Amino acid sequence: MPITTCIFDAYGTLFDVAAAARNAATEPGREVFARHWPAIAEKWRLKQLQYTWLRAVMGQHTGFWQVTQDGLDWALESEGLQDDTDLRDRLLQLYWELEAYAEVPAMLRALKTAGMNTAILSNGAPDMLQGAVKSAGIGDLLDDVLSVESVGIFKPARVVYDLVGQRFGCAPDEVLFVSSNGWDASAASGYGFTTAWVNRAGDPVDRLPATPHRQLRDLTGIPDLVRG
């Protein structure tokens, strides 16, 4: 069946998760942090993801804001910056104002022009996602913002992907699911979605039961995929 609905992961896919640390590193008085920010950004994101998976397996769900804070605390301590409370507060504030990747507005606009349904499906909490969407100025290009909080478990649980069909009344093979997380794209492929992995870092494909259908270096090619 033709694609009718384009669904996007949020963090790392539409929104640059490294932007909070990168922007904080340019602020006056952050010279020490400027030497650590790349490592902290990478560790922060890794722990944030690991904590979602572990909580899903343990059946101990919490909001994404909590795992975001927990991941940052681990990353700061790993770099010896755990006592800088002002830095911690600033990084968390900036996480609510993440920048969209440069190609996002034009890409979404092209999808809407083509008559596609567009939405976010994210581990993020609704208020966090709305903050990012507003900051990026892309709210008018999205039909909905779907959060795992409505089912109480993080991706890649299948009940999360169920939210797309429930919202748009579409079959899995009518959906193009786009994520920068290889594991997310792979799980969505196994669910039945057509998938595109935005592999900005050029990483190897994860060794999982299913694999993404397409790989892209950024989001500019997404409209071409739905046009066949």
Side-chain angles (χ1 to χ4, degrees):
M1 297 182 69
I3 299 298
T4 63
T5 304
C6 295
I7 303 297
F8 296 87
D9 174 60
Y11 297 110
T13 302
L14 298 180
F15 307 116
D16 182 359
V17 291
R22 183 175 60 247
N23 291 342
T26 67
E27 296 176 346
R30 305 270 190 219
E31 290 77 15
V32 172
F33 177 64
R35 298 195 295 270
H36 292 267
W37 86 260
I40 286 178
E42 181 177 1
K43 293 176 180 180
W44 185 5
R45 177 59 171 165
L46 177 61
K47 282 297 176 181
Q48 182 191 52
L49 290 173
Q50 288 178 347
Y51 291 157
T52 64
W53 303 329
L54 291 168
R55 283 184 171 275
V57 171
M58 293 187 292
Q60 296 181 3
H61 184 73
T62 189
F64 195 67
W65 185 234
Q66 185 62 55
V67 297
T68 298
Q69 293 178 81
D70 292 342
L72 176 59
D73 290 340
W74 191 97
L76 289 172
E77 185 174 351
S78 75
E79 295 290 316
L81 298 176
Q82 66 272 19
D83 295 328
D84 192 339
T85 56
D86 178 71
L87 172 63
R88 180 186 189 273
D89 291 345
R90 180 59 176 151
L91 289 170
L92 291 173
Q93 177 188 4
L94 288 169
Y95 206 88
W96 288 77
E97 306 167 9
L98 293 178
E99 301 165 4
Y101 287 103
E103 71 271 21
V104 167
M107 180 272 300
L108 290 175
R109 194 169 293 112
L111 293 176
K112 296 309 297 176
T113 299
M116 294 290 123
N117 299 317
T118 59
I120 285 172
L121 177 66
S122 174
N123 281 339
D127 55 351
M128 293 178 68
L129 292 168
Q130 290 297 341
V133 167
K134 181 179 179 180
S135 179
I138 59 173
D140 61 333
L141 301 174
L142 295 166
D143 294 304
D144 212 337
V145 178
L146 307 175
S147 167
V148 301
E149 288 306 302
S150 63
V151 290
I153 190 171
F154 292 115
K155 289 190 285 183
R158 291 180 66 87
V159 293
V160 176
Y161 302 115
D162 287 342
L163 294 172
V164 176
Q166 293 167 8
R167 167 59 177 83
F168 291 101
C170 54
D173 59 1
E174 295 178 81
V175 175
L176 175 66
F177 181 83
V178 184
S179 180
S180 65
N181 300 300
W183 56 269
D184 190 16
S186 294
S189 291
Y191 179 83
F193 293 156
T194 298
T195 58
W197 176 26
V198 185
N199 187 8
R200 296 180 187 272
D203 289 333
V205 175
D206 283 313
R207 273 54 172 178
L208 292 171
T211 57
H213 295 98
R214 294 291 298 273
Q215 285 193 51
L216 304 172
R217 293 306 299 263
D218 59 34
L219 293 160
T220 55
I222 295 299
D224 292 333
L225 293 185
V226 303
R227 287 192 287 263

